[in-house]
Amino acid sequence: MELVIILIVIAVVLIAGAGTTLLVRPRRRRAAAPPPQQPPVPGAGRTAAPPAQEAQEEGGAAAPSAVLPPVAEPRLPEEAPAPLRGRMVRLRGRLAASRGGFGSVLLNLLSRDVLDDQAWEEIEDTLLTADMGVAPSRQIVEELRTQVKVTGTRSPDEVRALLRSDLIQQIGADTDRSLHTNAHGDRPAVVLVVGVNGTGKTTVCGKLGRALIGEGQTVVLGAADTFRAAAADQLQTWGGRIGARVVRSDREGADPASVAFEAVREGIEERVSTVIVDTAGRLHTKTGLMDELGKIKRVIEKRATVDEVLLVLDATTGQNGLRQARVFAEAVDVTGIVLTKLDGTAKGGIVIAVQRELGVPVKLVGLGEGPDDLAPFEPEAFVDAILGT
């Protein structure tokens, strides 16, 4: 009997232990699904390798030697770019803001039956409000006043013709606005793009590269704005969209001159037509900016000629844009102006003011957000647009 009781107790203990095991046994986890493979990022992103001794002699730190993982070769643009020639004529409608601004106001003032001193003061004020500048505004008013007095012109068509002629003369119809983007034998043309951050500088690099590729050229983009990580990422996105290789550093704050040097070397090795170099737009100290841009230009010129230095300005900033332009003009020899957001301002007089201030022509204008909305500047088309002719 005692043996039976002992066996029963042992059985109860074993059953209880088994139940406890069932309670604490962890639930088997479902195997996690493997992460989906990310598609390869279009566009090249070659890391700037340490430049040759020429660049290091400038006193800057070399770009990092680590190479990014291999990426897909740049693909061709999915949509063929519109040719540069004639773009501004096709985009005249984008200048509606300017047309509704000083152009129509001037025509209304000049068409008055009586043009007294007060009327001419209003005309000059309108030009000043359009950011044309004091000297150009007074010159236009004096010429118009003389012409109206001598000819007795009053009809709207005659007044429009006089105003059109004077505006085109102030802008400079005969000014050379050609872009120097053709290779020199086995060396590519180099375009240095400068300007304050926020003016659309990196976007201009991408759009210009797209336009050149659309004309049968080959392009390398250099991400020398190493102080703003988003700039290099944005430029690489453009590289993938337009089918251009991008040279960048994988280290924020790397030496911009080293990246520019490597981009030019890549362009020479690949025998491309044009190298477009984006630069930083910091204005915290004028001296630092001048030193940095000057160094980039000197380092590039050890391997190739800098054919264009394009200063990107936001047309909506007006006189503030002119002050920025002066700083950059002192830092590096500017060869041309790119005015962005010209379709979003009624202050089209900035075209005249900035040319007079710097003594260099407006070569390109931004007239929208689309990839083909960067157009060569044409004085006649611009004046006709703002006057509604």
Side-chain angles (χ1 to χ4, degrees):
M1 188 64 180
E2 292 179 356
L3 179 61
V4 173
I5 294 173
I6 292 171
L7 290 174
I8 292 173
V9 171
I10 292 173
V12 171
V13 172
L14 290 174
I15 291 172
T20 304
T21 303
L22 290 174
L23 288 174
V24 300
R25 181 180 297 167
R27 184 175 298 174
R28 180 179 294 177
R29 293 185 178 180
R30 183 176 299 174
Q37 288 188 345
Q38 297 293 329
V41 180
R46 180 171 297 183
T47 304
Q53 186 172 354
E54 299 100 299
Q56 300 209 12
E57 288 175 356
E58 289 291 339
S65 57
V67 179
L68 291 175
V71 295
E73 285 298 313
R75 64 188 181 189
L76 293 177
E78 297 177 358
E79 183 181 349
L84 275 174
R85 185 180 299 275
R87 276 191 185 185
M88 191 161 183
V89 174
R90 293 194 303 274
L91 297 171
R92 276 180 56 179
R94 305 289 177 84
L95 291 170
S98 292
R99 185 186 306 127
F102 77 95
S104 59
V105 174
L106 285 175
L107 289 175
N108 290 334
L109 289 172
L110 288 167
S111 299
R112 288 181 179 178
D113 293 334
V114 177
L115 286 174
D116 53 16
D117 290 341
Q118 182 178 352
W120 287 111
E121 287 180 6
E122 290 182 32
I123 292 172
E124 184 173 345
D125 290 342
T126 301
L127 294 172
L128 290 171
T129 303
D131 279 334
M132 193 168 292
V134 175
S137 298
R138 288 179 178 173
Q139 186 175 348
I140 289 177
V141 167
E142 289 174 1
E143 291 177 356
L144 282 172
R145 194 167 187 172
T146 300
Q147 291 169 335
V148 169
K149 184 176 181 180
V150 171
T151 62
T153 300
R154 282 294 185 275
S155 72
D157 289 341
E158 291 173 330
V159 168
R160 181 180 284 107
L162 288 177
L163 182 57
R164 180 182 187 274
S165 176
D166 285 346
L167 288 174
I168 291 176
Q169 181 181 356
Q170 286 291 329
I171 294 174
D174 299 329
T175 303
D176 180 16
R177 302 178 192 275
S178 58
L179 284 171
H180 302 96
T181 56
N182 295 321
H184 312 284
D186 60 347
R187 298 195 176 214
V190 178
V191 179
L192 196 62
V193 181
V194 303
V196 178
N197 292 334
T199 58
K201 175 170 47 67
T202 305
T203 299
V204 165
C205 292
K207 289 183 178 181
L208 178 58
R210 172 181 165 87
L212 296 178
I213 289 173
E215 295 184 342
Q217 298 192 43
T218 49
V219 173
V220 165
L221 301 174
D225 184 354
T226 60
F227 295 93
R228 191 170 60 96
D233 294 339
Q234 182 183 359
L235 198 64
Q236 183 153 347
T237 299
W238 270 106
R241 291 174 62 184
I242 69 178
R245 184 171 293 281
V246 178
V247 175
R248 60 176 294 181
S249 172
D250 61 353
R251 179 169 61 87
E252 187 175 347
D255 181 36
S258 297
V259 179
F261 183 92
E262 185 65 20
V264 172
R265 184 166 67 180
E266 172 82 3
I268 293 173
E269 291 178 355
E270 296 294 328
R271 301 183 69 84
V272 302
S273 308
T274 311
V275 176
I276 303 174
V277 180
D278 188 19
T279 62
R282 298 166 299 118
L283 273 177
H284 63 282
T285 62
K286 181 176 173 182
T287 303
L289 177 68
M290 293 177 67
D291 291 344
E292 182 179 295
L293 290 179
K295 177 182 174 182
I296 291 174
K297 190 170 185 287
R298 289 193 304 273
V299 167
I300 290 175
E301 288 177 339
K302 293 180 180 297
R303 298 298 301 271
T305 303
V306 177
D307 299 272
E308 289 279 4
V309 179
L310 298 179
L311 172 60
V312 182
L313 295 175
D314 184 339
T316 65
T317 60
Q319 295 300 314
N320 287 332
L322 287 182
R323 284 190 285 272
Q324 296 169 3
R326 295 187 195 105
V327 175
F328 281 94
E330 293 173 4
V332 65
D333 294 331
V334 176
T335 61
I337 305 296
V338 182
L339 275 179
T340 60
K341 307 176 189 177
L342 191 60
D343 58 314
T345 178
K347 298 184 177 183
I350 190 67
V351 173
I352 295 174
V354 71
Q355 289 187 154
R356 194 180 186 101
E357 175 70 26
L358 300 184
V360 296
V362 173
K363 292 192 174 184
L364 295 167
V365 290
L367 296 170
E369 300 296 330
D372 292 331
D373 291 345
L374 184 71
F377 181 71
E378 301 174 17
E380 293 88 350
F382 173 72
V383 172
D384 289 342
I386 62 176
L387 294 180
T389 56

